[in-house]
Amino acid sequence: MKVTYRWLKEFVDFKETPAELAGMLTEAGLEVEEVEPRIKPFTDVVVGYVNKAEKHPNADKLSVCEVKTDEGTYQVICGAPNVKQGQYVPFAKVGAQLPIGIKLKKAKIRGVESFGMICSKEELGLEAHSDGIWAFDKEYPLGADVYRLLEEEYQDWIFDIAITPNRGDCLSVYGIAREVAALTGNPLKPIQVKVEEASSERVEDLVKIEIHDTEGCPRYAGRIIRNVKIAPSPEWMQQKLEAVGLRPINNIVDITNYVLMELGHPLHAFDLATLSGPEIHVRASKPGERFVTLDDKERILPENTVMICDAEKAVAIGGIMGGQNSEVSDSTQNIFLESAYFKPERIATASKRLGLSTDASQRFERGTDPENVVRAIDRAAQLMVELADGEVVQGIYDVYPQPIKQNEIPLNTERINRILGTDFDKEAIRQKLLSIQLQVKGDRVIVPTFRHDLSIVEDLAEEVARLTGYSNLPAHDRATIPYDMPISEHERQMRFFREELLALGLQEIFTQSMVKKEEAFAFASEEPIKIKNPVSDDMAFMRPSLLAGMLKAVSHNLNRNNRNLRFFEIGRIFTHFDGKNIPTQPYSLAVVITGNRYLPAWNVSEQWVDFYDIKGYLETFLRKIFLDNYQIILYDKSKYMTPEETIAIQSGDELLGVGGRIHPDVCAVFDIEHPVFAFELNVDVLTKHVLFERQYQPIPKFPYSERDIALLLDEGITAADVVEFVKKNGGSLLQSVDIFDVYQGDKIPAGKRSLGLRLRYQSAERTLSDREVDKYFRQIINKTTKHFSASLRK
């Protein structure tokens, strides 16, 4: 953000030098990165008079000029299209040192000698680009030193201030002046806004405005100014705009830019004749919609971008840039002037996706003042009357369905002093807050809408600190640092899962969330999330599964002969957009194993891990986190696991995750030849079914009693269904049901298999008798054999 010393003094009467003011602003949190004079030193440039200007004999675009000074006349070659006889100009003599780093020498151009140069504003360091020489608009004494003349009349100091993203209120000259007033103790002068509505017409009779997207645009106002005369803006306005880095265009565009810099509120001027209706409709963009902006580029609009439209077409991207189809031109006579408040998040998202950042978008995305909408449009209308001979139509068409309320913060003097280590009384703090136009009513601070960054007591403490000056706050030899920081409930749950996985002998790894295309498509059940501007092709997509990065880690280790791997990771994955601006990002937990089942030893034969090892890890983990209400079922819908070796874990109707062997085709994507087994759980769903709060129960003092049963079943009946049935119908004394044998083969009929179950009965109150246990045991035998049409194996 650039402001000038003189412009600030128009609003605050202070005595500090530019260097002193820069120090005060920096101390208050507005870091002044650079202070430079507007008129940079140069030598041997004097006022000259163009006696004549004739076409160069050997060049069509050059002129041979005769320039007169108090010391005589000089022949000069000039390439500017606007040079002509009778002009007073800045003339650089041979030997002149210009601020752009040039030392002038005698030259011969196309066979004609040149003894100096007629300068433009660019060559004197007054603007970034000039289209021609600088012809003075008044007569100066011939031979007068131009640097001295400019220093007396135009000298100023330009402050380049780094504004943090939360301080959108300081993206204007008036916003910085408000800070200067608070720091120096001098009053802030109000901007005098008075609009003369000369026309007898009313704006409501001439235009219609509707906001269809009130979430993206809570407020929209418009004025109509008739019979404007398009012309260059006055010198004083051009100088101010050039000083802060804006190039003058014409009086109408310059006025909107001037108000932008003065008040920090962007405006947009439309040629009223180009608006169909005339009507204004504020809506969200449609999928695939295209629009040609003022810079002559056709842009594909991101969905949900705020668009300004007339009755037939889009005319501007709200808060970012207008369109070619409604811009002000030299033939414009009537202006529709827009002033609006846009939701910062919507502008920031659209600007980033479009790759289009403008002075307007930078302010809207940091938060403008919704109460500045009317003041800004009136200020611009006032200037259009004064500088463009416009006639303002009566009234403002102001659509504001749900006014934004001011925030209130409790004034806690004790807490502010405790944070700062100070002993300010309430009145001292009150005066500090009043100096930046906050209202203090009793024990409440009313925050104006231009300070959207203030919401809690700590924010007020920061304001008091910076207005006092950080170097003026008391220093302490000691500081109490709380090392035991509280953690969130989510982090506590993740820590619990992590500790249990480590206890299983697994090693935690952290992998990249960005993967290459083929790695993402290997795991995505739908189109994976593509990164718009990837760093490289290897990081072009967001991972749809933790296994994408974990298999890269497995491949890396296998290539270095590290074969026995037991990895786990907990982190976010990225699935789909679900109608939002950011993708859904659930937490996931994954385990990957490969290599030998046991560590190599002389007395242990080499055995590779298989499906039952990963199933064992899964079941053990679920037991350790006390997940009781789950089922393990066969599953053949996984994209990246072999169907015959895949299981799913579900609780009720919700799928918690899948486990099994990674499909060889997926392993091939990562150059893995060895079998790899894994399971992956959806942590967000898992945590809903885990009871993290546990109560201690003592181990029963009374002995248990066990009974074994071998059932002959149809081979299509799963063991899990039998175990679940026995648990549900075994009675209150049944503590556990375990499978100790599954057999098919000799002496077992075809299509049948034998399932051996061990049932444990126990009471926490007494010793069970054999008769009591046998009673329950016979009951469950009868129910089970009847339900599954089974028989007892003898």
Side-chain angles (χ1 to χ4, degrees):
M1 173 66 194
K2 289 185 177 182
V3 298
T4 71
Y5 184 78
R6 284 189 174 185
W7 204 344
L8 290 172
K9 286 184 77 71
E10 292 181 13
F11 301 119
V12 185
D13 187 13
F14 56 86
K15 297 180 180 179
E16 284 73 15
T17 66
E20 291 170 341
L21 185 62
M24 294 173 70
L25 289 170
T26 300
E27 179 76 6
L30 302 174
E31 182 184 358
V32 179
E33 296 182 325
E34 186 178 23
V35 179
E36 60 177 358
R38 170 146 167 71
I39 310 298
K40 298 177 182 178
F42 53 86
T43 61
D44 290 327
V45 180
V46 299
V47 175
Y49 179 78
V50 181
N51 275 338
K52 59 181 179 180
E54 299 175 344
K55 183 180 176 181
H56 192 292
N58 302 318
D60 293 337
K61 295 185 178 181
L62 298 179
S63 300
V64 180
C65 302
E66 183 181 280
V67 179
K68 180 182 178 182
T69 71
D70 61 331
E71 297 178 343
T73 57
Y74 300 86
Q75 180 173 282
V76 179
I77 306 300
C78 182
N82 65 326
V83 65
K84 59 184 179 181
Q85 182 181 347
Q87 294 173 322
Y88 284 86
V89 295
F91 172 64
K93 298 186 291 186
V94 173
Q97 185 73 49
L98 300 182
I100 58 175
I102 295 176
K103 186 173 183 179
L104 212 61
K105 298 179 180 179
K106 175 184 173 182
K108 179 180 284 189
I109 302 173
R110 294 290 182 94
V112 179
E113 289 186 316
S114 181
F115 299 91
M117 181 172 70
I118 303 174
C119 299
S120 65
K121 287 185 177 182
E122 179 182 350
E123 288 151 348
L124 296 180
L126 298 178
E127 63 182 16
H129 176 74
S130 297
D131 293 326
I133 62 164
W134 184 13
F136 296 134
D137 56 2
K138 57 183 176 181
E139 297 181 11
Y140 290 106
L142 290 180
D145 188 302
V146 172
Y147 176 71
R148 298 300 175 198
L149 291 174
L150 296 180
E151 190 176 35
E152 292 175 7
E153 190 169 350
Y154 299 109
Q155 185 59 293
D156 203 348
W157 289 265
I158 301 169
F159 291 68
D160 195 350
I161 306 174
I163 306 297
T164 53
N166 65 314
R167 293 303 305 272
D169 61 298
C170 287
L171 287 173
S172 66
V173 176
Y174 199 71
I176 300 296
R178 186 188 298 116
E179 297 291 309
V180 173
L183 296 172
T184 61
N186 296 305
L188 179 67
K189 301 174 186 177
I191 297 178
Q192 300 298 329
V193 180
K194 185 177 181 181
V195 182
E196 295 183 5
E197 297 177 334
S199 173
S200 60
E201 300 171 298
R202 294 197 58 81
V203 67
E204 293 89 349
D205 300 328
L206 300 177
V207 69
K208 176 184 176 183
I209 300 176
E210 288 187 26
I211 302 178
H212 306 279
D213 182 9
T214 54
E215 190 266 344
C217 179
R219 187 176 193 181
Y220 190 99
R223 266 194 181 278
I224 292 178
I225 299 93
R226 287 200 178 280
N227 301 320
V228 296
K229 294 180 175 59
I230 307 298
S233 53
E235 184 71 19
W236 63 266
M237 180 174 282
Q238 292 191 37
Q239 289 176 18
K240 286 184 175 180
L241 294 177
E242 290 166 352
V244 296
L246 297 178
R247 186 182 177 191
I249 298 174
N250 60 49
N251 50 359
I252 299 300
V253 176
D254 291 354
I255 286 169
T256 60
N257 285 334
Y258 181 83
V259 175
L260 167 75
M261 298 308 301
E262 184 180 61
L263 294 177
H265 200 92
L267 304 170
H268 189 73
F270 296 96
D271 186 334
L272 183 62
T274 65
L275 299 180
S276 298
E279 296 178 9
I280 291 292
H281 297 272
V282 185
R283 61 166 174 84
S285 61
K286 302 171 185 176
E289 186 173 355
R290 295 171 181 267
F291 183 70
V292 179
T293 47
L294 280 170
D295 55 2
D296 197 25
K297 292 183 179 179
E298 184 180 65
R299 303 179 186 274
I300 301 176
L301 302 173
E303 192 173 358
N304 217 31
T305 299
V306 180
M307 296 300 296
I308 313 300
C309 310
D310 62 18
E312 299 176 355
K313 61 187 180 300
V315 293
I317 304 176
I320 299 178
M321 186 178 283
Q324 279 190 338
N325 55 12
S326 59
E327 67 177 322
V328 173
S329 65
D330 291 343
S331 61
T332 297
Q333 294 181 331
N334 300 314
I335 298 291
F336 175 77
L337 186 60
E338 166 196 284
S339 181
Y341 172 77
F342 298 101
K343 187 176 181 181
E345 295 87 344
R346 293 281 295 277
I347 301 302
T349 300
S351 176
K352 192 170 187 64
R353 289 190 175 182
L354 284 167
L356 181 60
S357 179
T358 62
D359 288 322
S361 68
Q362 290 171 13
R363 285 161 175 79
F364 280 126
E365 67 190 27
R366 286 162 175 78
T368 56
D369 181 6
E371 296 304 315
N372 233 4
V373 168
V374 171
R375 183 163 69 155
I377 201 171
D378 279 348
R379 176 64 168 150
Q382 173 190 2
L383 291 172
M384 288 183 185
V385 172
E386 297 173 0
L387 307 181
D389 295 334
E391 298 174 4
V392 181
V393 170
Q394 291 187 30
I396 300 174
Y397 204 129
D398 187 9
V399 183
Y400 196 12
Q402 293 184 336
I404 296 172
K405 297 180 180 179
Q406 293 179 323
N407 191 21
E408 292 189 15
I409 307 174
L411 179 56
N412 191 329
T413 304
E414 180 184 355
R415 179 158 179 76
I416 290 173
N417 280 321
R418 187 165 67 250
I419 293 170
L420 302 181
T422 55
D423 56 357
F424 294 127
D425 58 31
K426 183 177 180 179
E427 182 58 25
I429 293 175
R430 179 176 175 274
Q431 290 301 323
K432 294 288 184 186
L433 300 178
L434 289 175
S435 71
I436 52 172
Q437 297 187 350
L438 273 63
Q439 301 177 43
V440 181
K441 295 183 178 180
D443 291 330
R444 309 289 295 177
V445 176
I446 312 301
V447 182
T449 50
F450 63 79
R451 287 305 303 270
H452 59 87
D453 58 311
L454 305 180
S455 58
I456 56 177
V457 175
E458 285 75 9
D459 294 332
L460 299 181
E462 182 181 1
E463 293 302 295
V464 173
R466 67 182 192 82
L467 293 172
T468 303
Y470 293 115
S471 60
N472 296 326
L473 295 175
H476 295 277
D477 295 333
R478 301 181 187 85
T480 302
I481 302 175
Y483 288 101
D484 187 17
M485 300 297 290
I487 62 173
S488 66
E489 179 64 18
H490 173 78
E491 181 57 34
R492 187 176 70 84
Q493 294 170 357
M494 295 305 103
R495 185 177 294 181
F496 172 63
F497 291 154
R498 189 173 288 111
E499 289 173 351
E500 297 304 330
L501 290 166
L502 290 170
L504 292 177
L506 301 170
Q507 180 180 359
E508 185 172 17
I509 62 173
F510 299 93
T511 62
Q512 281 278 5
S513 59
M514 295 173 283
V515 296
K516 64 172 64 173
K517 180 179 180 179
E518 52 268 33
E519 295 168 351
F521 275 88
F523 293 94
S525 57
E526 53 187 272
E527 187 75 14
I529 306 300
K530 186 176 181 180
I531 299 172
K532 186 173 182 180
N533 297 305
V535 176
S536 67
D537 290 340
D538 288 346
M539 304 172 74
F541 288 81
M542 301 305 295
R543 63 186 180 192
S545 167
L546 293 178
L547 297 175
M550 298 181 78
L551 289 183
K552 290 177 72 172
V554 169
S555 176
H556 178 86
N557 280 272
L558 291 177
N559 290 336
R560 287 153 182 79
N561 206 30
N562 297 324
R563 297 193 306 170
N564 303 318
L565 307 175
R566 308 287 189 273
F567 292 154
F568 81 88
E569 183 175 7
I570 301 175
R572 289 190 184 275
I573 59 174
F574 304 83
T575 54
H576 57 286
F577 277 102
D578 196 22
K580 300 178 182 177
N581 291 327
I582 57 176
T584 303
Q585 304 173 41
Y587 269 93
S588 184
L589 180 157
V591 170
V592 170
I593 64 172
T594 189
N596 287 310
R597 178 174 291 130
Y598 308 110
L599 291 175
W602 64 270
N603 62 337
V604 178
S605 61
E606 187 177 78
Q607 298 181 33
W608 284 89
V609 294
D610 60 20
F611 167 80
Y612 292 99
D613 290 287
I614 194 63
K615 181 174 179 288
Y617 272 114
L618 173 60
E619 291 178 319
T620 304
F621 172 68
L622 296 180
R623 282 198 300 270
K624 290 174 73 68
I625 65 173
F626 312 113
L627 183 69
D628 301 325
N629 53 337
Y630 72 90
Q631 288 181 306
I632 293 180
I633 60 174
L634 297 176
Y635 193 72
D636 60 359
K637 298 179 181 178
S638 174
K639 179 181 179 181
Y640 51 87
M641 289 189 175
T642 56
E644 62 274 11
E645 293 184 273
T646 303
I647 55 174
I649 308 92
Q650 67 179 28
S651 182
D653 296 331
E654 290 193 289
L655 188 70
L656 303 183
V658 296
R661 180 177 177 178
I662 303 295
H663 199 285
D665 292 344
V666 176
C667 288
V669 174
F670 299 88
D671 296 325
I672 299 174
E673 298 177 355
H674 300 284
V676 179
F677 299 86
F679 70 78
E680 187 169 21
L681 303 175
N682 186 322
V683 173
D684 294 341
V685 177
L686 179 65
T687 52
K688 294 192 299 184
H689 297 277
V690 176
L691 296 176
F692 291 94
E693 300 300 328
R694 294 283 164 172
Q695 292 184 348
Y696 167 74
Q697 287 185 345
I699 297 174
K701 296 183 292 184
F702 303 98
Y704 59 82
S705 181
E706 291 183 338
R707 299 289 188 272
D708 292 347
I709 180 177
L711 298 170
L712 201 60
L713 303 156
D714 291 338
E715 62 180 356
I717 299 174
T718 64
D721 288 342
V722 177
V723 170
E724 182 182 6
F725 180 82
V726 172
K727 285 182 177 180
K728 287 183 177 180
N729 296 276
S732 59
L733 298 179
L734 182 63
Q735 295 298 305
S736 65
V737 180
D738 294 315
I739 300 172
F740 68 85
D741 180 59
V742 177
Y743 178 70
Q744 280 180 293
D746 189 29
K747 299 182 180 180
I748 300 295
K752 301 284 186 178
R753 65 174 173 175
S754 172
L755 178 66
L757 301 179
R758 179 162 294 145
L759 283 64
R760 175 176 292 184
Y761 294 89
Q762 189 174 26
S763 171
E765 301 171 351
R766 67 186 191 281
T767 300
L768 300 176
S769 66
D770 286 342
R771 179 180 297 178
E772 189 176 11
V773 172
D774 288 340
K775 175 185 175 182
Y776 284 109
F777 186 55
R778 284 193 299 271
Q779 288 178 353
I780 195 61
I781 289 175
N782 294 334
K783 289 182 179 179
T784 305
T785 54
K786 182 178 181 181
H787 182 78
F788 292 103
S789 300
S791 61
L792 295 179
R793 181 185 172 194
K794 299 179 180 179

